[in-house]
Amino acid sequence: ETLRVGMECTYAPFNYRTSSGDLVGYDVDVAKGVAEIIGADLEFVCQQWDGMIPALLANKFDLIVASMSITESRLEKIDFSSPYRDSVGRLVGKSGQDMNLFDPSGNPIPENFSGLRIGLERASTYESWFNAKLPNANVVLYDGSEPLYLDLVNGRVDAIMTNPMKAHLRFLAKEEGSGFEFISPAISEVEFFGIGVGIGLRQGQPELKARLDSAIKKLINTGKLTEYALKYFPFPIHNEEWGDG
Amino acid sequence: MSFDLSLIVETVPKMLAGVGLTFQLLGLSAFLGLILAIVLLLMRISGKWYLDWPAQLYIYVFRGTPILVQIFIIYYGFPQLEFIRESVLWPIFRDPFGCAVVALSLNTGAYVSEILRGGVLGVDRGVLEAGEALGLSTTQRFIYLTTPIATRLALPAYGNDIISLLKSTALASTITLMDMTGIARTIVAQTYAPYEIFISLAIIYMILTFFLQKFISLIEAYLGRYTKRES
Amino acid sequence: MELLSGWWDDFFWGSVVVAQVFLASLVLMVIFGLIGAAAKLSGNRIVQKIANGYTVVFRGTPEILVILLLYFGSAITLTWISRLFNPDIKFVDVPPFWAGTVAIALIVGSYATETFRGAFLGVRPGSIEAAKALGMSGLQVFFYIRIPEMWRLALPPFGNHMLSLIKDTALISIIGLNETLFVAKQAIGTTGKPFTMYIVVGLIYLGFSTVITLTVMALERYGNHTVRAR
Amino acid sequence: MISPQPLIRMQNVGKHFGTFQALKGINLDVIKGERIVVCGPSGSGKSTMIRCINRLEKHDEGRILIGDTELTDQIKDLNAVRREIGMVFQSFNLFPHMTILNNLMLAQKLVRKTPKAKARDIAMRYLERVKIPEQADKYPVQLSGGQQQRVAIARALCMKPEVMLFDEPTSALDPEMINEVLEVMVDLAREGMTMICVTHEMGFARSVADRVIFMDAGEIVEEADPETFFKTPQHERTKLFLSQILSH
Amino acid sequence: MISPQPLIRMQNVGKHFGTFQALKGINLDVIKGERIVVCGPSGSGKSTMIRCINRLEKHDEGRILIGDTELTDQIKDLNAVRREIGMVFQSFNLFPHMTILNNLMLAQKLVRKTPKAKARDIAMRYLERVKIPEQADKYPVQLSGGQQQRVAIARALCMKPEVMLFDEPTSALDPEMINEVLEVMVDLAREGMTMICVTHEMGFARSVADRVIFMDAGEIVEEADPETFFKTPQHERTKLFLSQILSH
Ligand SMILES: Nc1ncnc2c1ncn2[C@@H]1O[C@H](COP(=O)(O)OP(=O)(O)OP(=O)(O)O)[C@@H](O)[C@H]1O
Ligand SMILES: Nc1ncnc2c1ncn2[C@@H]1O[C@H](COP(=O)(O)OP(=O)(O)OP(=O)(O)O)[C@@H](O)[C@H]1O
Ligand SMILES: [Mg+2]
Ligand SMILES: [Mg+2]
């Protein structure tokens, strides 16, 4: 059995290609770990983010292992395995400018967003969060995550919303990221960000879903998932409770 | 295969909201591209190598590389260069609309200058000699004879280029612009229904192409009125 | 070019993909163009209408849309069609390579249709009448007079079609084919140097275009050796 | 002895282009060895008439017989008829992508199935006859108009036709080149080739024609031996035409 | 009274195209009112010679004077010289995108700075003179070849030139149209216009030329009044040429 796995291939450190041509990252490790457990061969397919679900539906591949959060709206079209990673978003912007975007309880203050351009990936959880919470914000949509950082540095956008782990590793910890910082608390409302990041699959395959679920639980319980995370981050990025039961 | 008609009814108006941006891109780039094309043309027919060669090189490079790559170099690549970030042009390059217009104009200019050159070369030499023999100066011949005749000769090819340009504006969606294609791609990302949305969008573009073509053939008929044997 | 260290081989393999897509789509483009031209020249009204529809659709739609449509649409359509015959079939897939290749071949083929048609009509009727008057049959006229004259006429625009094809391959990066532009996107992810990477892509394409242009020039020189005076 | 059966027989032939009638009730018999010159104003149907004879145009009224074969849609082997009829056009119509020699050999090989070596011999023989054997390996564009037209004549002769049709063979030529082509045609006529020639070269008509035919508006208006035709034309239209042709 | 100064004086004029010498040591004086016919085989340099006179080609040896002005690279106002020299081409060369009237008015307005109304009057006058005033508002393609050439003559005349140059004005015309153009030229000649005319219309040469010039291989081979030229040509080359031209 060969399973084709869709991912962006440009979403460091979750799934990306190194200069030596290897596809690596946390998502890749998870996919490989799962495959080993369920005894399947893998084939990776690179797909731009905005076409990820249509491509799965069009049978371009069988699984999405691309840091995709398990949200209500996505569940209408596809199924997800149980989660293997936290799903959370955070805004990044210029440091030292107290923009006062959130009240102490962590809710956005819409007035203070006016006049700001916010960069997001098209069709991301962040986009749905903004659409719901700040419908009047000036949102600029990108086809990948890399351009977000480039344009933040270039000043084409004032802030971006993205995965904080990724932002830290890919950007803030690097030289080009000096002068930028997180300008929001971690946002992870289940309504938008789901219960976490899972493996996407087409609906109507309960058996495959069950195999994926148990494989992920096994990865958590054997400590593999922590091991994967520590390759890239100083801390694990999943919830140990997901492994119980 | 399910084909969701209600989805089309619902989304077409949303896509049409982007038609204004599409036309702004088209109009502005066509205008700037034409000016660039005329400059390049004059450089090429100047007979001076130091004008001709740079123009040829420019045309060669811009016709030899994909427009998408040109767009990416200008949008993503230029800000990497310090001197561009510090130049007075930065406000243009900072703006995705500015980048798209610059890229489309630079690209179409290269093509159109060759089209115009074809028209100029197509002007009957005898006609120009007749003008010369009547005592018209070089400039007068260029204005009164070459320009009107070459315009008419170049028009059909120019029309095709305008239509190519319309289609190229769709690539602006790759640099965050919300033209019709950008909107459509966002809708697809939300509805996961590429088939319905993209087909509707294709039809919209075809209708635009159709009217553009009609418009061009009207101009052609007007400019070509002197080629018809019956009055 | 320290920046590029480690990425050279990726760009190389990306170029190989570009070359593969180009060659495969070239073959298809010629086939589509010839079928289109034959259809337009056939006396049959319906066949002509279909051919006209083909050219109108593929000339009027942005290339990027055609590619996206074929990428997403082809599998759905093919699956749907094959299920009519065999309900057990789950999915028929069209890999991105072929979806992209067929898409650009269809686009450029719609232009080639006119080129081939024009070249066919451009063969001087005098030569053909002379051949008929000498008693040559229709087929003989076609193979000995029409074809040899036609390809010479078709060559210059055909060269332009090849350039369009090579440039359109860049659009296939949008559906995730690992060609040079996609390699550049990946490289930018680790190096953060978009200008350098996209310039490399531009130079690679300029190289391809140059090779094609020189080839066409050589062929034209060969084709025209018979019509050069003295 | 009965009078010889005509090689070409046109009986009441008519031809329409759409609603326009290009030929009306043409009657013409041509016997073996006859040399006929056809003249008339532009658009009078001269080309149309001779093109009907080898069916480059299809007539739509009357009958045309070549030997015993009637030209109809049912005709089994049109190409068999055509190879008996050589034709030379105003604009030479050489095959531009072939050398002179190949121009002469192609139809021999394809239509007459002549072996290659023999075809080459025949081709060279006729090239010598039109006095340009040294041009055999050139391409048509490399030749002057007069030379091209002589090649065209040689190409038709290679097929050993019974009849030769000429449609204004000299009118696309510069004045100096006209004579070199006319000379070849006069030679042919002297050797007894049956020929129908549309031309305005009145010197040629006077010296070789057995009959001159004057056409106007799709009809044969006058038909006479050259002597009578030029000295005492019968019809007003003919007189007017001759005065124009001969005035300059 | 001293003999009149020549209007055009060519002294030992030579012209090369690359290594090919198209004109060699041409000497020619044309006085006011003279009518000169130039003939000779194709490629002999006839066109090149008259094109040098209004500097459509630059000669590279010898001197050419128009009145007192020598044609050199330093010449300040070439167009001032050119407007004194009208030229009519073989292929008419009307401005295809302008009506007949505008064809006639353009150079008047731009070169002579004639006011629009006056330019129109002059244009209409010359259109009447060439007998097609009713075509004023048509475009060139809508006219027959003969009409177009008459317009071309009128266009040159509108500039009131001192000299008219004609380069085979009738050789692109159908036989029926040649006479209508020749008539206009004969009229012009009768009125005393100075003209140099390249043509093979020998009837025209006989009836109006003061001198006939025969060129071959870039040289003036023979020069004589028409009577002498046609009756007793001196050079072999001239005899051969005349026999070809007059035979058909
Ligand atoms: N294929 C055609 N379709 C329509 N009309 C035609 C066609 N061929 C010829 N004609 C018309 O038929 C008439 C006779 O034409 P034809 O060519 O036989 O004249 P012609 O006597 O040979 O004239 P010319 O001296 O100009 O060659 C003309 O009025 C011409 O316009
Ligand atoms: N622009 C040019 N470049 C090179 N050679 C030229 C050019 N113009 C004319 N020639 C050559 O100069 C020679 C004289 O040409 P010209 O046109 O003066 O001859 P002509 O006597 O007018 O001939 P025709 O009767 O054919 O018009 C010819 O051999 C011609 O090929
Ligand atoms: Mg004819
Ligand atoms: Mg000449």
Side-chain angles (χ1 to χ4, degrees), chain E residues 43 45-48 90 167-168 198:
Chain E
K46 308 180 296 293
S47 300
T48 307
Q90 173 174 353
D167 191 0
E168 309 203 32
V198 177

Side-chain angles (χ1 to χ4, degrees), chain E residues 35-226:
Chain E
R35 285 146 306 202
I36 294 180
V37 161
V38 182
C39 62
S42 183
S44 58
K46 308 180 296 293
S47 300
T48 307
M49 184 177 83
I50 68 167
R51 286 161 60 82
C52 280
I53 293 173
N54 69 352
R55 215 166 169 72
L56 286 178
E57 304 285 358
K58 294 180 182 175
H59 60 290
D60 42 29
E61 285 165 7
R63 296 160 40 111
I64 301 179
L65 287 110
I66 310 296
D68 298 325
T69 320
E70 178 168 357
L71 297 185
T72 64
D73 277 339
Q74 279 78 47
I75 188 165
K76 287 139 300 175
D77 196 358
L78 178 60
N79 291 334
V81 174
R82 279 187 177 148
R83 73 185 175 213
E84 303 304 332
I85 306 178
M87 177 142 182
V88 175
F89 301 82
Q90 173 174 353
S91 45
F92 329 144
N93 293 344
L94 296 183
F95 307 139
H97 59 299
M98 294 180 179
T99 61
I100 299 308
L101 197 58
N102 284 331
N103 261 277
L104 269 62
M105 288 165 62
L106 183 72
Q108 293 190 60
K109 286 189 291 188
L110 296 180
V111 182
R112 287 249 180 239
K113 313 283 179 213
T114 315
K116 197 168 165 182
K118 177 130 189 262
R120 173 188 298 269
D121 285 350
I122 296 177
M124 284 311 299
R125 176 145 25 103
Y126 282 105
L127 271 188
E128 264 154 40
R129 176 124 169 228
V130 299
K131 304 198 189 95
I132 38 176
E134 73 285 359
Q135 311 287 353
D137 294 321
K138 291 202 181 156
Y139 286 100
V141 272
Q142 296 166 344
L143 270 54
S144 74
Q147 292 173 325
Q148 288 192 49
Q149 193 60 300
R150 282 183 282 158
V151 171
I153 295 174
R155 181 175 66 178
L157 292 176
C158 282
M159 301 298 288
K160 313 244 163 94
E162 289 279 321
V163 193
M164 287 283 286
L165 309 177
F166 293 87
D167 191 0
E168 309 203 32
T170 58
S171 62
L173 296 177
D174 289 338
E176 300 98 285
M177 298 168 177
I178 292 179
N179 283 331
E180 62 187 42
V181 171
L182 286 180
E183 266 167 34
V184 171
M185 291 171 61
V186 170
D187 275 1
L188 261 184
R190 299 252 155 85
E191 286 164 22
M193 172 65 83
T194 317
M195 49 207 265
I196 306 179
C197 187
V198 177
T199 183
H200 293 123
E201 295 298 333
M202 292 303 144
F204 174 79
R206 272 205 190 94
S207 63
V208 308
D210 295 313
R211 256 193 295 170
V212 180
I213 287 174
F214 175 71
M215 292 183 71
D216 189 23
E219 293 179 298
I220 295 183
V221 173
E222 187 148 356
E223 193 180 338
D225 62 287

Side-chain angles (χ1 to χ4, degrees), chain D residues 183-196:
Chain D
E183 265 168 36
V184 172
M185 291 170 61
V186 170
D187 275 0
L188 262 185
R190 300 253 155 86
E191 287 164 22
M193 172 63 84
T194 316
M195 51 206 264
I196 305 179

Side-chain angles (χ1 to χ4, degrees), chain C residues 148-163:
Chain C
E149 279 214 50
M150 227 182 107
W151 81 268
R152 194 171 51 77
L153 292 176
L155 196 56
F158 191 74
N160 288 336
H161 297 331
M162 290 203 280
L163 289 176

Side-chain angles (χ1 to χ4, degrees), chain C residues 193-227:
Chain C
K193 298 292 180 203
F195 185 77
T196 323
M197 297 302 165
Y198 288 135
I199 286 286
V200 171
V201 178
L203 289 175
I204 290 174
Y205 274 104
L206 210 53
F208 277 117
S209 303
T210 306
V211 171
I212 293 172
T213 309
L214 292 178
T215 311
V216 171
M217 271 165 61
L219 283 175
E220 268 179 56
R221 213 170 312 133
Y222 173 77
N224 287 344
H225 74 290
T226 63
V227 291

